[in-house]
Amino acid sequence: MTSTSRPHGIYSPVVTPFTATLQPDPQRYVRHCRWLIDQGVGLAVFGTNSEANSMSVDEKKKLLDALVEAGVPTDRMMPGTGCAAFTDTAELTRHAVSLGCRHVLMLPPFYYKNVSDEGLFRAYAEVIERVGSDALRIYLYHIPPVAQVPITLTLIERLLGAYPQIIAGIKDSSADWNNTSALLERFQPRGFDVFAGSETFLLATLRGGGAGCITATGNVNPAAIVDLYRHWQEADADARQQALDATRAVFAQFPMIPALKAAIGIHTGDDGWGTVRPPLVPLSAEQRTALGNALAGAGFTMPGIEAVA
Amino acid sequence: MTSTSRPHGIYSPVVTPFTATLQPDPQRYVRHCRWLIDQGVGLAVFGTNSEANSMSVDEKKKLLDALVEAGVPTDRMMPGTGCAAFTDTAELTRHAVSLGCRHVLMLPPFYYKNVSDEGLFRAYAEVIERVGSDALRIYLYHIPPVAQVPITLTLIERLLGAYPQIIAGIKDSSADWNNTSALLERFQPRGFDVFAGSETFLLATLRGGGAGCITATGNVNPAAIVDLYRHWQEADADARQQALDATRAVFAQFPMIPALKAAIGIHTGDDGWGTVRPPLVPLSAEQRTALGNALAGAGFTMPGIEAVA
């Protein structure tokens, strides 16, 4: 199934469950993805918060296969497919498109630093040419704090000029509102969809004409974030934004990825969710208790989430 | 063939030739590796200057197969096997060891930033346990300007404590002599071999008791660098170091990887050597001419190098 609808609203970089021996766990994964879909959140599987770059291409292909085989709707997915090597990016992107996941979120090649826009243009162009599908829609992934390789306005302009049908938008994880604002002003009116990199800038992005946000905390607080998206033009929008900020602030006291997984573990009663792949480390027992207490104190809940039976 | 000798002297991160369609080119590769061996330089294949992280694990496995099948001696190789995902690192390392390449140069996982020494320790430990070979010898690859993930003295201490037979040394590409000096003082006396990250610190490293250097310009200026290694205790050592520095300074006027490949192209008459994978870009025609002129002006030669017939 290939969707013709354009992604918008709230997506989450889905955290990836691992078994005790650090293998990807499709059973917990499908369960969590279904819950997110039920909450109104799209699946930006294989994002930074998914520990995507701690997995091989084959591991990611198999997880995507598992979701599709389980009937998780491909038109609600936006898999991250950007790897260090463009040959890997092309392979994973080709696989995603072949499964009907036409919308992909694509990091630039991220090992070499201080590379030119010309070089990054060539990297994206190689992937586009090698995938060779008119169905492909690429959302550029700008996350300079982690990738350390930025996607500049000049690069976007050039990519849009060369591939106007395929270059579809961006996730801006710069945490720099000036950059998000410039993207909204310059590119959103041309149909290039701007997603904020977290819910912190969700209301501001929507007021600026943007498409939504792709946010780590969508894994744990999906309904409230979706509610702001649905009601952003109402009188209580600023209050809703403040409530989202307060919940995010609880998680931000801890390393984000282990904290997201620990919270899912606490609310499903499934401690196995706490496992992360190195170079990340799970929360300590003390951190996990502190997180649980802070979330309880904030009245935080995850309605409807269940452990794998 | 598994060598029992300990690597020392001069190694080069072998530049990887690509065809016009950007495929790895085993024919040019084997030829260049044989020339380097003839010059006395060991093969740190799949280093940063090899564009290793612009290649998939499978592409690297096949290039290593091609070298071994061509009879290039495995005891003169130190393949780089560190990838972003530890599962990829384990797969490539296992393949190298299975071919008799027991000495590997291993980047830390490099996508996630500001990770803990605990997390990096776990990443190396997972690879060591999954490879499961007593023959394995790991040279840590410290290159914070590119990987942005440092290998600290504390991490080395912990790895040496846990795996004293397997953790064998380091390539220090910090370009920070204070760090190299600290490594030499603290770890070299314990049999942990310190390689400078370029010939810039070769003489200083040897005077500090280190093992040698692993240097990009070993691809183009191997004999002179090896000569300093062989004669570093002689009276003219400082003059030799200055001569090496002067040659390196010519290359340093250009982007290093494309310049190394262009120089090989100029000296073999094989323009195809100039090809690089994105996100890198080849030298422009003007840059190539300027490089050729600067090298000619410096009296630079590459004796014995030949084009593929």
Side-chain angles (χ1 to χ4, degrees):
Chain A
M1 180 177 68
T2 296
S3 166
T4 54
S5 71
R6 203 161 174 98
H8 58 91
I10 311 306
Y11 281 71
S12 183
V14 182
V15 288
T16 308
F18 297 108
T19 66
T21 58
L22 301 180
Q23 301 309 304
D25 179 346
Q27 195 181 9
R28 284 190 179 98
Y29 195 52
V30 168
R31 173 74 61 114
H32 186 57
C33 284
R34 284 182 173 148
W35 181 73
L36 291 173
I37 294 283
D38 288 345
Q39 303 293 309
V41 163
L43 309 175
V45 295
F46 314 146
T48 297
N49 285 280
S50 312
E51 300 170 79
N53 288 304
S54 296
M55 291 191 281
S56 72
V57 170
D58 271 354
E59 289 174 325
K60 287 181 266 197
K61 287 166 73 173
K62 285 176 182 154
L63 280 178
L64 205 56
D65 291 343
L67 291 184
V68 173
E69 284 164 15
V72 176
T74 56
D75 65 347
R76 296 291 287 142
M77 295 187 202
M78 190 191 286
T81 61
C83 304
F86 76 79
T87 43
D88 282 338
T89 305
E91 181 183 344
L92 186 53
T93 303
R94 194 183 302 114
H95 189 74
V97 172
S98 77
L99 293 175
C101 303
R102 65 189 300 221
H103 304 106
V104 303
L105 189 59
M106 199 179 287
L107 280 168
F110 52 78
Y111 181 71
Y112 294 95
K113 306 304 187 296
N114 304 311
V115 295
S116 63
D117 277 354
E118 172 67 26
L120 293 174
F121 175 84
R122 291 185 189 197
Y124 278 107
E126 278 295 330
V127 172
I128 291 169
E129 302 294 345
R130 283 164 193 243
V131 173
S133 168
D134 292 339
L136 177 62
R137 297 292 178 270
I138 294 176
Y139 294 78
L140 306 168
Y141 188 5
H142 177 57
I143 182 166
V146 184
Q148 305 273 340
V149 176
I151 294 172
T152 65
L153 304 186
T154 312
L155 175 61
I156 296 168
E157 191 71 66
R158 183 146 174 225
L159 284 166
L160 273 174
Y163 303 103
Q165 302 305 317
I166 289 174
I167 301 298
I170 194 165
K171 176 186 181 186
D172 182 5
S173 293
S174 65
D176 171 4
W177 175 250
N178 288 334
N179 190 66
T180 310
S181 181
L183 291 167
L184 286 166
E185 288 175 24
R186 184 157 163 184
F187 297 113
Q188 184 69 57
R190 293 157 64 180
F192 175 91
D193 284 328
V194 177
F195 287 85
S198 81
E199 77 275 28
T200 305
F201 292 130
L202 176 57
L203 185 54
T205 295
L206 295 172
R207 284 173 175 164
C213 77
I214 303 175
T215 180
T217 50
N219 277 288
V220 291
N221 193 29
I225 302 173
V226 169
D227 271 351
L228 172 55
Y229 175 70
R230 290 179 178 157
H231 302 286
W232 71 271
Q233 290 173 300
E234 297 178 16
D236 63 350
D238 285 288
R240 286 175 188 270
Q241 178 70 60
Q242 286 165 26
L244 297 185
D245 295 346
T247 299
R248 187 178 181 92
V250 175
F251 283 94
Q253 297 171 48
F254 302 89
M256 180 61 80
I257 298 170
L260 295 172
K261 289 181 143 181
I264 296 170
I266 291 167
H267 287 264
T268 56
D270 174 5
D271 284 353
W273 257 107
T275 304
V276 296
R277 276 194 166 182
L280 304 186
V281 294
L283 295 193
S284 66
E286 292 72 19
Q287 286 176 311
R288 192 171 181 278
T289 301
L291 173 66
N293 290 340
L295 291 173
F300 175 83
T301 58
M302 296 178 70
I305 201 164
E306 295 170 45
V308 170
Chain B
M1 180 178 68
T2 296
S3 167
T4 54
S5 70
R6 202 162 174 98
H8 58 91
I10 312 303
Y11 280 72
S12 184
V14 182
V15 288
T16 309
F18 296 108
T19 67
T21 57
L22 302 179
Q23 301 308 305
D25 178 348
Q27 196 182 9
R28 285 189 178 97
Y29 193 54
V30 168
R31 173 74 61 113
H32 187 58
C33 285
R34 284 182 173 148
W35 181 73
L36 291 174
I37 294 282
D38 287 347
Q39 303 294 308
V41 163
L43 309 176
V45 296
F46 316 145
T48 296
N49 285 281
S50 312
E51 300 171 77
N53 288 304
S54 297
M55 291 191 282
S56 70
V57 169
D58 271 354
E59 288 174 326
K60 286 179 267 196
K61 286 166 74 173
K62 284 175 183 154
L63 280 177
L64 205 56
D65 291 343
L67 291 184
V68 173
E69 284 163 17
V72 176
T74 55
D75 65 347
R76 295 292 285 141
M77 296 187 202
M78 190 192 287
T81 60
C83 303
F86 76 78
T87 44
D88 282 338
T89 305
E91 181 183 344
L92 185 54
T93 303
R94 194 182 302 115
H95 189 73
V97 172
S98 76
L99 292 174
C101 303
R102 65 189 299 222
H103 304 105
V104 303
L105 189 58
M106 199 178 289
L107 280 169
F110 52 78
Y111 181 72
Y112 295 95
K113 306 302 186 299
N114 304 310
V115 294
S116 64
D117 278 354
E118 172 67 27
L120 293 174
F121 175 84
R122 292 186 189 195
Y124 279 107
E126 279 295 330
V127 172
I128 291 168
E129 302 295 344
R130 284 165 192 243
V131 173
S133 168
D134 292 339
L136 176 63
R137 296 293 179 270
I138 293 175
Y139 294 77
L140 306 169
Y141 188 4
H142 177 55
I143 181 168
V146 183
Q148 304 275 340
V149 176
I151 294 172
T152 65
L153 303 185
T154 312
L155 175 61
I156 297 168
E157 191 70 66
R158 181 141 175 230
L159 284 167
L160 273 175
Y163 302 104
Q165 303 304 318
I166 288 174
I167 301 298
I170 194 165
K171 176 184 181 188
D172 182 4
S173 293
S174 65
D176 172 4
W177 175 250
N178 288 334
N179 190 66
T180 311
S181 181
L183 291 167
L184 286 166
E185 287 175 24
R186 184 156 161 186
F187 297 113
Q188 184 69 57
R190 293 155 66 180
F192 175 89
D193 283 329
V194 177
F195 288 85
S198 81
E199 76 276 28
T200 304
F201 293 129
L202 176 57
L203 185 54
T205 296
L206 295 172
R207 285 174 174 162
C213 75
I214 303 175
T215 179
T217 50
N219 278 287
V220 292
N221 194 29
I225 303 173
V226 169
D227 271 351
L228 172 54
Y229 175 70
R230 289 178 180 159
H231 302 286
W232 71 270
Q233 289 173 301
E234 297 180 16
D236 62 352
D238 286 286
R240 287 175 187 269
Q241 179 69 60
Q242 286 164 25
L244 297 185
D245 294 347
T247 299
R248 187 178 181 91
V250 175
F251 283 93
Q253 297 170 47
F254 303 88
M256 181 59 83
I257 298 170
L260 295 171
K261 290 182 144 182
I264 296 170
I266 290 168
H267 287 265
T268 57
D270 175 6
D271 285 354
W273 256 106
T275 304
V276 296
R277 277 193 165 182
L280 304 186
V281 293
L283 294 194
S284 67
E286 293 72 19
Q287 286 176 312
R288 192 172 180 279
T289 301
L291 173 66
N293 290 340
L295 291 173
F300 176 83
T301 58
M302 295 177 71
I305 200 164
E306 294 170 46
V308 170

